[in-house]
């Protein structure tokens, strides 16, 4: 289908040059990911179908970063691609029904950055025992925790494949800086959205009073 072809083209372009858009001074990769603009200027809302392509794209970037790459600089290129995608995703207009999908992708990116920047993935230990709903409530276990654990497991698996080696220091440094930058954007967007919601409620209350 068309989404698969778009993703295949994106992968081919960034494998050839992770900074393809910058080198060519175009928005080719960006527009393939966000075909309706991907900014906050009032473009039409993205279709639900694109969410599955975005998940596959993030999966591709994660695999590229965790691969045993001889060139840290090339790996950092993939870190930056994930960072740019996350920032664009935060700005991309979406309906209420799509907000959750977007939040899950942002959480996945943040968890991936955090695990691989700040933790020794070789020492990750997780329990395979499933918790009941009651235990989840009492321990505060959430979907965000599950996303984090999944990222940790994947990092540990990659470390084993790479002869137990950690990600190169320069790559971990890049992951760390991008983590804090995108986290700052997430907080800003959340505060802005909360403020707008409060203003909308205040306007509704004021409208009721004047009737």
């Amino acid at each position: 289908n068309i989404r698969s072809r778009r993703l295949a083209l994106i992968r081919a372009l960034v494998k050839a040059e992770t900074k393809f858009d910058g080198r060519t001074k175009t928005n080719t990769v960006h527009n393939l990911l966000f075909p309706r603009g991907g900014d906050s200027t009032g473009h039409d809302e993205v279709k639900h179908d694109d969410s599955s392509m975005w998940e596959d794209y993030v999966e591709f970037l994660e695999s590229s970063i965790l691969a045993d790459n001889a060139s840290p600089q090339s790996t950092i290129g993939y870190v930056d691609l994930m960072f740019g995608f996350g920032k664009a995703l935060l700005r991309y207009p979406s309906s209420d029904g799509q907000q959750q999908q977007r939040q899950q992708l942002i959480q996945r990116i943040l968890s991936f950055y955090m695990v691989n920047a700040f933790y020794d993935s070789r020492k990750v230990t997780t329990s395979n025992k499933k918790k009941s709903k009651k235990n989840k409530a009492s321990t505060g276990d959430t979907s965000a925790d599950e996303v984090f654990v999944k990222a940790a497991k994947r990092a540990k698996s990659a470390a084993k494949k790479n002869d137990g080696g950690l990600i190169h220091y320069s790559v971990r440094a890049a992951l760390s800086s991008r983590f804090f930058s995108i986290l700052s954007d997430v907080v800003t967007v959340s505060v802005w959205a909360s403020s707008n919601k409060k203003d909308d409620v205040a306007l509704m209350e004021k409208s009721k009073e004047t009737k």
Side-chain angles (χ1 to χ4, degrees), residues 6 71 75 86 90 103 107 131 141 144 151 155-156 158 175-176 191:
R6 276 165 52 198
S71 170
T75 305
L90 283 170
Q103 289 171 359
Q107 182 62 52
K131 293 183 180 180
D141 193 13
K156 184 176 183 178
L175 287 163
S176 172
V191 170

Side-chain angles (χ1 to χ4, degrees), residues 106-119:
I106 293 297
Q107 182 62 52
R108 178 173 176 173
I109 292 171
L110 285 171
S111 294
F112 180 84
Y113 278 169
M114 187 187 300
V115 165
N116 291 286
F118 307 121
Y119 293 87

Side-chain angles (χ1 to χ4, degrees), residues 162-186:
N162 298 338
D163 297 322
L166 287 172
I167 293 176
H168 193 278
Y169 172 77
S170 60
V171 177
R172 290 168 71 89
L175 287 163
S176 172
S177 65
R178 305 304 184 271
F179 168 78
F180 286 113
S181 181
I182 199 168
L183 180 62
S184 175
D185 284 353
V186 169

